[in-house]
Amino acid sequence: MDTTDQIAYARRILTEGGLVAFPTETVYGLGARADRSEAVAKIFQAKNRPTFDPLIAHFPSVASAQDWARFDDRAELLANAFWPGPLTLILPRVHRDGQPRIPDLATAGLDTVGVRVPSLPLALELLNGLDFPVAAPSANPFGYVSPTTAQHVRDSLGDRVGLILDGGPCSVGVESTIVDLSGPVARLLRPGGLAREALEQALGQKLEWEGFRAPVRVEAPGMMDSHYSPAVAVEVFDDVSRLSARATALDGNCTVLSAAPLPDVRSREAVVLGEGAAMAVALFATLRRLDRPGTGTILAVLPPPEGLGLAVRDRLFRAARSRVS
Ligand code: TXA
Ligand code: MG
C-alpha cells in the first residue's frame, strides 16, 4: 500500500472504532476516535494503562479543536502562536445536548480535556479527513519509554494494533509540553518539546510549575507520574566528577550518556547526545537501544533546565527514580 492508501485505511479503522498507531513530531501515538468510549477503551486495554490517566485529543486545526474544547483569550493566543506543534492545552470540555463531546473515559472523568494539533504532515493529513478528534497517548506499554520510530511501536505493541503508520523517526523526540489553562493561573503540567521560555514570552507571564515530581505520586486524574523507565538501572548526575567516581566504583560496568564527550570516565560505552534539541531527539531511542543486559548501569549527565533541556531532565529523572523506591 502507498501512503495515500494507508491513510485511507487508517481513517477507516478509526471510523469503525479501531486502533491505529501514527507518528507525530513528538512521539508515536496510539489512536482511537475520541468521541466514543468503546473505541477509547481499546487504548487503555492495549497499553495496560489505568483509566484514571486521561488522554490527549488530537485535531487538524485550531478551528476544529474549538468545537470540542472551550478556548479563552490565553488559549487562543497560545494555539495561534504554536499550533501545529508540540503543545497540549488543558481546557474545559464542550458539552452538547447535555453531554460532554469528549466522553469521561477519555478525560478520566475530569471536565477538562487535553487538546493538541500536531505538526507532522502525515498526522495532519490523517486527522484532516476525519469528523472526530483522535485520542492518543504515546504508543508504548504503560510506564515504558515512549516510541520515536515505527519499529519501537512494533517492538512493544505490534500484536495489539491494527495498523502502524510509518512516518520515520520523530523530529522532536520528547512528548508535547502540557499547559493547564482550565483555571485562572496558567500552569506547566509537563515540560516537553516546546520550550517553557517560548510559552512564557508569548503569554507575557511566568507559568506556574511544581517542579520535578517526587517518585510515584497519584493525587488526582491527570497527576499520574509516569516512569518512562527502561528495565536497566538509570542513575542521574548534575556533577560530572560524581558520575566519574560512580563509574569507577562500578568498575566501568556502565554506559554513560552526556551532552559532550567525557574522556576520563570508565565505561562500556559512552553515548554523546549533543545539547538541547539534539539531546531530546536522541534520548528515547538511546534508552530503548540500551535496554539490554550488556549495558550495565546507565549513568546520565543531566542537562541544565533550559530550553528542551527541561524536558530531557524531567524524563531522565523519571527514568531514574523508578529505580530508587
Ligand atoms: O506528544 C504527546 O503529547 C504525545 C503525542 C502522541 O501526542 N502524547 C502523549 O500522551 O504524550 P500521554 O497520554 O502519554 O501523555 C498525556 C499526559 C498524561 O500524563 C495525562 O495525565 C495528561 O497528559 N493529561 C491528559 N488530559 C489531561 C487533563 N484533562 N488534565 C490533566 N492532565 C491531562
Ligand atoms: Mg505517555
Side-chain angles (χ1 to χ4, degrees), residues 74-265:
R74 301 168 303 175
E76 270 191 22
L77 186 146
L78 292 185
N80 288 322
F82 298 111
W83 282 353
L87 170 67
T88 294
L89 299 175
I90 307 296
L91 301 174
R93 284 190 292 190
V94 162
H95 293 246
R96 190 177 271 183
D97 304 325
Q99 289 297 320
R101 296 200 74 190
I102 302 285
D104 279 342
L105 188 59
T107 69
L110 296 169
D111 211 24
T112 57
V113 59
V115 293
R116 146 164 151 80
V117 178
S119 65
L120 187 79
L122 183 58
L124 281 175
E125 199 182 332
L126 172 69
L127 295 166
N128 246 314
L130 302 169
D131 56 8
F132 49 80
V134 173
S138 50
N140 49 282
F142 183 70
Y144 194 59
V145 182
S146 294
T148 56
T149 66
Q151 189 58 45
H152 292 161
V153 183
R154 259 174 241 124
D155 289 345
S156 44
L157 288 178
D159 54 337
R160 305 185 192 183
V161 193
L163 176 65
I164 301 171
L165 289 178
D166 191 341
C170 299
S171 62
V172 174
V174 290
E175 299 88 345
S176 60
T177 301
I178 304 182
V179 177
D180 184 356
L181 295 178
S182 64
V185 176
R187 292 169 55 209
L188 177 66
L189 293 190
R190 177 177 75 185
L194 179 63
R196 176 188 191 173
E197 294 89 335
L199 286 157
E200 292 179 338
Q201 191 174 13
L203 271 179
Q205 63 173 84
K206 292 276 176 204
L207 292 171
E208 203 154 277
W209 184 44
E210 69 169 43
F212 301 107
R213 293 226 186 112
V216 199
R217 201 177 76 203
V218 181
E219 286 176 347
M223 299 293 278
M224 189 76 201
D225 189 26
S226 311
H227 295 155
Y228 302 86
S229 52
V232 296
V234 178
E235 298 178 13
V236 293
F237 300 83
D238 269 312
D239 184 329
V240 173
S241 56
R242 287 230 177 120
L243 180 148
S244 184
R246 179 68 177 136
T248 304
L250 288 167
D251 269 334
N253 291 315
C254 57
T255 294
V256 172
L257 306 188
S258 59
L262 303 174
D264 300 326
V265 177

